[in-house]
Amino acid sequence: MDSELAAEMPPPQAESGPGATLVMAKGYLDGSAADETYEENDPQDPSTPSPQDQSAWNGDNELEDNGLQSPQDQSIWNVIENPTNGDSQYQIPDGDSNPRSNGEPKPHVQTAPKLSAIDELVSGPNAAVFRPRNHLHWAPLRIPFQRRLQTLVVLLHTLSISLFLSFFFLLCAIPIVWPVLLPYLVYVLLSSAGISGKSTRRSHFFRSMPYWSLFASYFPARLHRSQELPSTRKYIFGYHPHGIISHGAFAAFATNALGFEQLFPGITNSLLTLDSNFRIPFYRDFILALGLASVSKESCENILKTGGRNGEGMGRAITIVIGGARESLDAVPGTLRLVLRRRKGFVKLAIRTGADLVPVLGFGENDLYEQVNSDSHPLIHHAQMFIKKAMGFTIPLFHARGVFNYDVGLLPYRRPLNIVVGRPIKVVQQATPDEAYMDQLHGAYVDELRRLWDRWKDTFAKDRTGEMEMIE
């Protein structure tokens, strides 16, 4: 009778976690026997206990460990027949009777704690089931078309040098274009357009295309000014920090996507980059149309001493990323570590040309990428510094997100960029810069940079993990 009822009884109600399995075997619950059934013991003699049944209780009035985690899991259930409708139901055994001995009393054995018939079991995951976890967060298929365009524009910008070089080598494989390609290559190698300071290739139309608005809105980026700058002066904007690729400096000063021409009317600004970039075929024409110039000393002086309203640089400005490649090695999210203490060449340039100094702080620039921690991997850091000294640039080991996932790739994270332009520091022109005057201007520049940080860090750097610090 017991065997028939046990075969017909419904499974108990249980709230289970992922992969949890609840098994009723021969009238009792055993979480460690997930693969056992009633028939596996002895289908001919339901009164014969299985080895598991014999070890379910011991003579010391203690439950043996059957792989369950709580006394409730080790409870023994009886199946009795409802006298009214013949249905089976669960019931806790009363007294000292043992459901495994056909009602014969066993005084030396205590029953499990009484539970209500409606008590439910909450089980954890089955440790025997292996579930590989996917740590990549894939981008959903249903994304607004505007965001897809933003991602495409940023991807093209990030890979711009590689794309232009690939196109050049592709043309080199076509003999019919060699008569045009060879003179162009000679022109690229001999051209001084990047250092002349004339900006004849600069295109207002190209800088103001909606294409760049898509680039800026990816993060999104925004430009802020502390006060107006008169167009009767010339300026050196110092951008901090460098970050990995200086996306904020590019959006604010290489394009008009953030409204530089509206915030600072009458001022023509040129973002400076490495002179080697003007030797890359096709890419050089791309950045010349954006108004970029070489960061060399000759280029800076040509821009600030020629052109403008009076032919001597009035109303012209340059933007220098002061920290350079060295600072990119410390571009860690949540921090602001600047290489500035010993960098005074831009101050000397300002004194020689009579250009006012304007500190610029890019909140969020360091948050766009993750990179290998130099403190945890000193050998990698030393190798990067060696490359920096030997070749003039370095290679940060960084990553962010991809096109179709949010965890691995070379695209920057979608995190806000807020570029704040500080107050100008007036500079008196000197043919031979005085060392004490240089230190005075450098100190005033650092103080203004700290003021920007203290004033706006709680607005634009709420998730920071440290304060601004000068490491060199």
Side-chain angles (χ1 to χ4, degrees), residues 89-169:
Q89 61 181 3
Y90 300 96
Q91 177 178 326
I92 301 296
D94 296 327
D96 294 332
S97 61
N98 189 331
R100 316 312 298 160
S101 61
N102 294 327
E104 297 180 4
K106 291 186 178 181
H108 65 282
V109 178
Q110 288 186 350
T111 60
K114 292 185 178 182
L115 299 175
S116 171
I118 62 172
D119 284 348
E120 298 180 351
L121 296 179
V122 180
S123 303
N126 189 346
V129 180
F130 174 74
R131 298 180 185 85
R133 295 184 178 180
N134 188 356
H135 294 282
L136 288 181
H137 298 83
W138 297 99
L141 295 177
R142 308 181 79 177
I143 294 180
F145 183 67
Q146 183 82 357
R147 291 177 67 87
R148 292 188 183 275
L149 288 178
Q150 294 169 357
T151 303
L152 176 61
V153 170
V154 174
L155 174 65
L156 293 176
H157 173 71
T158 305
L159 302 177
S160 56
I161 295 180
S162 301
L163 292 175
F164 281 112
L165 280 175
S166 300
F167 181 63
F168 171 75
F169 290 125

Side-chain angles (χ1 to χ4, degrees), residues 3 38-46:
S3 63
Y38 171 82
E39 289 77 5
E40 289 177 349
N41 296 327
D42 189 0
Q44 303 298 328
D45 186 5

Side-chain angles (χ1 to χ4, degrees), residues 233-234 301-316 353-354 429:
R233 300 285 297 175
K234 41 190 170 183
E301 292 185 347
N302 287 338
I303 294 174
L304 296 175
K305 290 183 177 181
T306 61
R309 295 187 175 184
N310 60 355
E312 296 180 358
M314 180 185 294
R316 304 194 74 178
T353 60
Q429 186 173 5

Side-chain angles (χ1 to χ4, degrees), residues 16 50 74 87 109 172 329:
S16 304
S50 65
Q74 296 174 333
D87 294 337
V109 178
C172 289
L329 299 180

